[in-house]
Amino acid sequence: MDDPTTVSNQRNQSAPETPRLNLPARMSDSSVYLENLPSGTMHINRLINSNYNGSPSRTIYSDRFIPSRSGSNFALFDISNSPTSAEGKEDGSGTYNSLLRAALFGPYTPDKKDSLGSPACRNIFRYKTETKRSLHSLSPFGLDESVPGIIHSPVKAPRKVPRSPYKVLDAPALQDDFYLNLVDWSSNNVLAVGLGNCVYLWNACSSKVTKLCDLGIDDSVCSVGWAQRGTHLAVGTSNGKVQIWDASRCRRIRTMEGHRLRVGALAWSSSLLSSGSRDKSILQRDIRVQDDFASKLSGHKSEVCGLKWSYDNRELASGGNDNKLFVWNQHSTQPVLKYCDHTAAVKAIAWSPHLHGLLASGGGTADRCIRFWNTTTNAHLSCMDTGSQVCNLVWSKNVNELVSTHGYSQNQIIVWRYPTMSKLATLTGHTYRVLYLAISPDGQTIVTGAGDETLRFWNVFPSPKSQVNDTCGVQAI
């Protein structure tokens, strides 16, 4: 007689094992066997244990929406799906359209004809009205230049600067001396030029030339500087004197002394006139009082060849043949800021009219650099090696750009965009160093002078956007 335990074990081994669930210990697993579930849920078992294929006519929904690229509406982008024309020939625009479709929708985008007839491929989210927009606004890459096959056009074409001067004037006896400042343009549109021992005035409206003064054979003109307003012109001489002239009446008002050597730099601040000399000093002169000068600024160890007051008349920048750039305030007799980074004479100095405290300076042949300084924070901002002697700098009054003129070895004029310091134009024409530079009162035109004894007029800057010119402009020359 068989052992009941043995019979029970054999029965269990021959019967298939029923799937079991992982349940808590207090629950009875016999009540949750799949065969004990109601018959209405038996299709779950078939789904698990069989390769179930849904009906093609039945749409299966889930809890998330995953878009299908095959249903994309390419007509919105005006892109054809096939690169081949109806005649079977290669369409010239087909390659471009294929690249553009791949960039917009991914590399594995099927043709739209393959997706027709399938309800599941329809776009679910669709605008009520479809309008054509530019590809730049629809592209997920924006203006990224790294997208292969797509070349984006610039948003704004760079401004074109005429490469030739619109006017050239002869300037006989214009000295080829780096340390002099012989050209200045007044707020009344009159150009003053020192030629030898004489000063000439050229009216930009009428092109009339007037001889203002003749210093005689024992003296020569070393610098000229217009007062900010009015018709007063300061003339620095080789004898160390400064003359003040009323240009409207061609009459000398006064002569001021104080320097022992030539006066090569002049700068006005309202009624205060600063003069820099080869005797290494700077004299502050108030033309309203009888004294020749009110104070003396000492600090440079060589000739002072550059002087510029800031637009708010609070700071005076001076450059010298000692390679130093100093900044003074209205009441100091010693420099409040000293910059010693240049390795050659600093003649080119310009304050920005757009940002308070922004100062640009340029060095001579051994330096060749334009440097930018923040005098408010006493910081050196940047440096640009121009490759040539920097003779002059001037900022545009209308846009954030500046012009530099150069000597050895290229004698060029460069228009820069700040702060990127990208070159907008390089102008050539002078055969000697471009030692002199002035800007017109409307801020559009510059005049350059060189040892080749010519003055050249260039249109380099745009006009103000909202400027209305009631007076005669340079364009009428």
Side-chain angles (χ1 to χ4, degrees), residues 95-106:
T95 304
Y96 168 75
N97 289 336
S98 299
L99 290 171
L100 185 57
R101 289 177 60 240
L104 292 174
F105 305 109

Side-chain angles (χ1 to χ4, degrees), residues 35 41 121 138 165 169 171 189 267 298 311 361 368 390 401 405 425 437 446 460:
E35 57 263 27
T41 60
C121 295
L138 295 171
L169 298 178
N189 215 5
S298 301
Y311 280 86
S361 60
R368 307 175 305 179
V390 184
E401 299 170 3
T405 67
L437 172 66
I446 62 170
V460 296

Side-chain angles (χ1 to χ4, degrees), residues 116-183:
L116 296 177
S118 176
C121 295
R122 293 178 300 169
N123 281 343
I124 296 179
F125 301 111
R126 181 190 297 269
Y127 291 105
K128 293 183 179 180
T129 57
E130 297 175 352
T131 57
K132 293 183 179 180
R133 292 185 288 176
S134 67
L135 293 178
H136 290 323
S137 63
L138 295 171
S139 172
F141 305 101
L143 294 178
D144 189 0
E145 298 288 345
S146 63
V147 178
I150 298 180
I151 301 177
H152 299 286
S153 59
V155 177
K156 183 179 180 181
R159 178 169 55 83
K160 293 184 178 180
V161 178
R163 295 303 196 268
S164 301
Y166 69 87
K167 192 176 189 66
V168 179
L169 298 178
D170 288 328
L174 184 62
Q175 296 188 57
D176 184 28
D177 192 328
F178 177 81
Y179 300 99
L180 306 185
N181 293 275
L182 297 175
V183 177

Side-chain angles (χ1 to χ4, degrees), residues 122-417:
R122 293 178 300 169
N123 281 343
I124 296 179
F125 301 111
R126 181 190 297 269
Y127 291 105
K128 293 183 179 180
T129 57
E130 297 175 352
T131 57
K132 293 183 179 180
R133 292 185 288 176
S134 67
L135 293 178
H136 290 323
S137 63
L138 295 171
S139 172
F141 305 101
L143 294 178
D144 189 0
E145 298 288 345
S146 63
V147 178
I150 298 180
I151 301 177
H152 299 286
S153 59
V155 177
K156 183 179 180 181
R159 178 169 55 83
K160 293 184 178 180
V161 178
R163 295 303 196 268
S164 301
Y166 69 87
K167 192 176 189 66
V168 179
L169 298 178
D170 288 328
L174 184 62
Q175 296 188 57
D176 184 28
D177 192 328
F178 177 81
Y179 300 99
L180 306 185
N181 293 275
L182 297 175
V183 177
D184 198 20
W185 208 327
S186 78
S187 59
N188 292 328
N189 215 5
V190 177
L191 189 70
V193 185
L195 301 177
N197 53 10
C198 299
V199 175
Y200 290 87
L201 305 179
W202 181 77
N203 190 301
C205 290
S206 62
S207 296
K208 180 182 177 181
V209 178
T210 304
K211 183 178 180 179
L212 179 65
C213 66
D214 188 338
L215 302 182
I217 59 174
D218 296 330
D219 206 351
S220 63
V221 180
C222 295
S223 57
V224 294
W226 286 102
Q228 295 169 340
R229 295 179 179 84
T231 59
H232 288 172
L233 178 70
V235 178
T237 72
S238 60
N239 290 337
K241 298 179 181 179
V242 176
Q243 299 181 2
I244 307 297
W245 287 78
D246 184 349
S248 63
R249 295 183 292 175
C250 291
R251 185 173 66 90
R252 185 176 64 186
I253 298 175
R254 64 181 297 184
T255 300
M256 296 178 289
E257 300 182 354
H259 289 296
R260 295 177 290 104
L261 300 173
R262 71 179 184 183
V263 181
L266 296 168
W268 286 87
S269 172
S270 186
S271 59
L272 184 67
L273 175 63
S274 303
S275 60
S277 171
R278 180 178 270 182
D279 64 10
K280 312 173 189 177
S281 67
I282 301 172
L283 298 182
Q284 304 283 49
R285 311 172 185 270
D286 191 338
I287 63 173
R288 298 171 299 181
V289 300
Q290 291 184 345
D291 296 336
D292 284 340
F293 60 93
S295 61
K296 182 177 181 179
L297 311 184
S298 301
H300 285 287
K301 304 301 181 183
S302 188
E303 180 173 9
V304 179
C305 51
L307 278 179
K308 284 291 187 303
W309 278 96
S310 62
Y311 280 86
D312 58 5
N313 293 325
R314 294 183 177 181
E315 294 178 302
L316 174 67
S318 65
N321 197 28
D322 55 1
N323 310 343
K324 302 294 191 298
L325 173 67
F326 293 159
V327 178
W328 320 71
N329 61 30
Q330 293 172 309
H331 309 290
S332 65
T333 57
Q334 295 293 322
V336 294
L337 296 175
K338 296 182 180 181
Y339 300 119
C340 306
D341 295 70
H342 286 290
T343 57
V346 182
K347 176 193 176 185
I349 301 172
W351 292 92
S352 170
H354 310 291
L355 184 61
H356 174 73
L358 177 57
L359 176 64
S361 60
T365 306
D367 183 79
R368 307 175 305 179
C369 292
I370 299 175
R371 297 180 181 271
F372 296 91
W373 318 86
N374 187 332
T375 61
T376 303
T377 61
N378 192 21
H380 181 202
L381 301 177
S382 61
C383 175
M384 169 62 68
D385 189 342
T386 66
S388 304
Q389 176 188 43
V390 184
C391 301
N392 291 280
L393 289 169
V394 67
W395 288 86
S396 168
K397 303 174 184 178
N398 307 327
V399 290
N400 201 16
E401 299 170 3
L402 70 158
V403 163
S404 60
T405 67
H406 300 269
Y408 300 124
S409 58
Q410 302 180 39
N411 305 327
Q412 79 275 39
I413 303 161
I414 303 178
V415 184
W416 307 86
R417 177 182 286 116

